[in-house]
Amino acid sequence: MIETKNIIISNHTFERMQERFPTHSRNKKEATNQIRYLLKNSEYIGVVPDNEGVDGHMFAYDNKVAIYTDMTGGIVTTIYEIDRDNRQHISFRTKVKEIYKKEFRKMHRLEQTKRKKVELTRLKNEAEIAVLKYKRYTTRSNNVKKDCDEKIAVLQSEITNIKNEVKRIQSEKRHVAIAIATNNF
């Protein structure tokens, strides 16, 4: 449960409230009060990166509305309605939901591990790239310059590949979070 007493909404959130929930957002104070109410009655989903890869806490109200806060939980960054498939209730849905939540936690741990690996690889490769650039600058041999350029390209490619893997995991994590929030599985 989040402490809603001191919650603030961003300008982006206020604009989204006016677009999507105009009856509850004639002014910023009214929109803030509505979001406080929604957050008090929401289910916490977990830490979910948004489309830009910025982490935030995701809450779901009545399996219909997603609310994102920043990592401190003090600022609501966005709110939107979740499209939902209106299937009939399936008897084993709770078991499936628990599996989804378990996989979500696994994805979160994997994402954190991969982020650390990206940072470590980036630092290591940037150091090697700096040495290769220095070597390329100081040598007169065209073959050495060519070898340095090839090694630099390989190191930069390795960094890009790991970053893309993190983005893929974040995207999948976002989809699982929305499935949990909407009971759409």
Side-chain angles (χ1 to χ4, degrees), residues 10-26 31 34-35 38 51 64-68 76-83:
S10 66
N11 290 333
H12 173 79
T13 305
F14 180 61
E15 291 168 5
R16 295 303 157 260
M17 281 291 291
Q18 288 180 318
E19 285 174 15
R20 298 168 180 152
F21 310 99
T23 58
H24 300 289
S25 56
R26 288 185 286 263
Q34 178 65 18
I35 288 177
L38 294 175
N51 291 334
K64 296 177 184 170
V65 178
I67 305 165
Y68 280 88
V76 176
T77 56
T78 194
I79 183 170
Y80 59 89
E81 289 179 298
I82 303 171
D83 294 329

Side-chain angles (χ1 to χ4, degrees), residues 81-92:
E81 289 179 298
I82 303 171
D83 294 329
R84 179 167 178 182
D85 181 9
N86 291 323
R87 296 177 227 185
Q88 293 190 3
H89 182 71
I90 300 171
S91 62
F92 58 86

Side-chain angles (χ1 to χ4, degrees), residues 73-135:
I75 300 173
V76 176
T77 56
T78 194
I79 183 170
Y80 59 89
E81 289 179 298
I82 303 171
D83 294 329
R84 179 167 178 182
D85 181 9
N86 291 323
R87 296 177 227 185
Q88 293 190 3
H89 182 71
I90 300 171
S91 62
F92 58 86
R93 187 175 295 274
T94 54
K95 291 179 184 176
V96 174
K97 186 172 185 175
E98 291 306 314
I99 292 171
Y100 267 72
K101 285 184 176 184
K102 183 178 177 183
E103 290 301 316
F104 180 80
R105 290 188 299 271
K106 285 181 185 177
M107 284 181 195
H108 180 69
R109 288 190 302 272
L110 179 63
E111 176 194 10
Q112 297 306 314
T113 303
K114 291 290 183 182
R115 282 184 178 188
K116 288 178 185 176
K117 183 178 178 182
V118 164
E119 187 61 21
L120 181 65
T121 303
R122 185 186 62 79
L123 291 171
K124 180 181 77 75
N125 287 4
E126 284 178 355
E128 288 181 41
I129 288 170
V131 169
L132 289 169
K133 284 182 178 179
Y134 177 77
K135 184 177 180 180

